[in-house]
Amino acid sequence: VRDRVEYQVLPLIERSVSFAVPSIEFDGTLRGLPYIGYRMLPGRALRASDVPSPVTTSDLANLVFELHSVPVDDVAGVLGESREPSQWKARYRRLEDGAKSRLSEVLPSHLRSGVAEGFERFFSAGFAFDPVLVHGDLGASHILVEESGGLVGLLDFEAVAIGDPAVDFVGVQITLGSDTCAQVLEAYPGPVDEGFGERVLGYWWIGSLQAIPHGLDEGDGAIVQSGIAGLHERLARLFDR
């Protein structure tokens, strides 16, 4: 299903941005599984060592802003999602409810308390954003750069959605560090509401929480334990413990 979404939404993004995105040329089924394909885009994955030279934090901020400036009306029909902040927030309320029911047996009591405290802090940040088109997984490995330093493209739109612009700063924080993320956010030309930075932190720690039910679903204890370790580390950093 997400392959079909990418197939339809990428041409709409491509006509609105100056950087390259996948232009899908192949679409079919192989051995009962759907696939899409596109020609290799120019450039290589961004590295942390590329910032602040030759890639500046302003370069990154402008790239994110350009994506967020894609007209929402152009893509809403394809994505079929509510653009209301209240609906976006409700998704995380459901995630919180699911975490309480599914993770009670695998999380120690101090982490369950930390998760509850973390969600309380996350929801108290407020959700006063203007919904935009978000990449949903905007880490360094999905940002393409020329050797000379110019940003040339974005990859992997599997998580593309209409939602909170703050979510696109999480991958920057994880892959490039909190200091760089703060500088990119400071240079971001788009509107930044009062709770924006706090929601970035919320999406950051919640990402480690989401790895745990995925590991349970896959029956992979290593993923579960890695998720628990990541959750412990991020909550400790969140609350400076």
Side-chain angles (χ1 to χ4, degrees), residues 73-218:
D73 287 343
D74 287 358
V75 297
V78 172
L79 294 175
E81 299 179 2
S82 170
R83 291 177 264 172
E84 293 299 320
S86 60
Q87 294 300 314
W88 181 267
K89 183 177 180 179
R91 293 170 56 181
Y92 287 87
R93 284 292 189 191
R94 291 191 295 271
L95 191 154
E96 179 187 24
D97 291 341
K100 289 178 180 178
S101 62
R102 292 205 65 195
L103 305 181
S104 59
E105 295 182 6
V106 296
L107 291 183
S109 60
H110 72 282
L111 275 186
R112 294 199 301 272
S113 298
V115 168
E117 189 177 351
F119 272 117
E120 181 178 357
R121 176 170 166 174
F122 175 63
F123 290 123
S124 67
F127 287 72
F129 61 86
D130 294 324
V132 299
L133 180 77
V134 296
H135 182 279
D137 190 16
L138 197 57
S141 62
H142 297 151
I143 301 173
L144 297 177
V145 59
E146 294 178 321
E147 288 299 337
S148 61
L151 297 175
V152 293
L154 286 181
L155 292 173
D156 197 347
F157 284 78
E158 182 179 353
V160 65
I162 297 170
D164 185 356
V167 80
D168 275 345
F169 290 84
V170 177
V172 176
Q173 167 137 335
I174 293 171
T175 59
L176 299 179
S178 57
D179 289 343
T180 296
C181 181
Q183 293 167 22
V184 174
L185 182 54
E186 184 177 358
Y188 178 65
V192 176
D193 63 275
E194 186 176 352
F196 200 106
E198 190 64 47
R199 293 198 308 277
V200 173
L201 293 176
Y203 298 130
W204 168 65
W205 76 260
I206 288 170
S208 60
L209 177 71
Q210 291 173 301
I212 301 171
H214 172 67
L216 292 173
D217 291 340
E218 296 294 321

Side-chain angles (χ1 to χ4, degrees), residues 216-230:
L216 292 173
D217 291 340
E218 296 294 321
D220 191 324
I223 294 177
V224 173
Q225 291 306 312
S226 177
I228 292 174

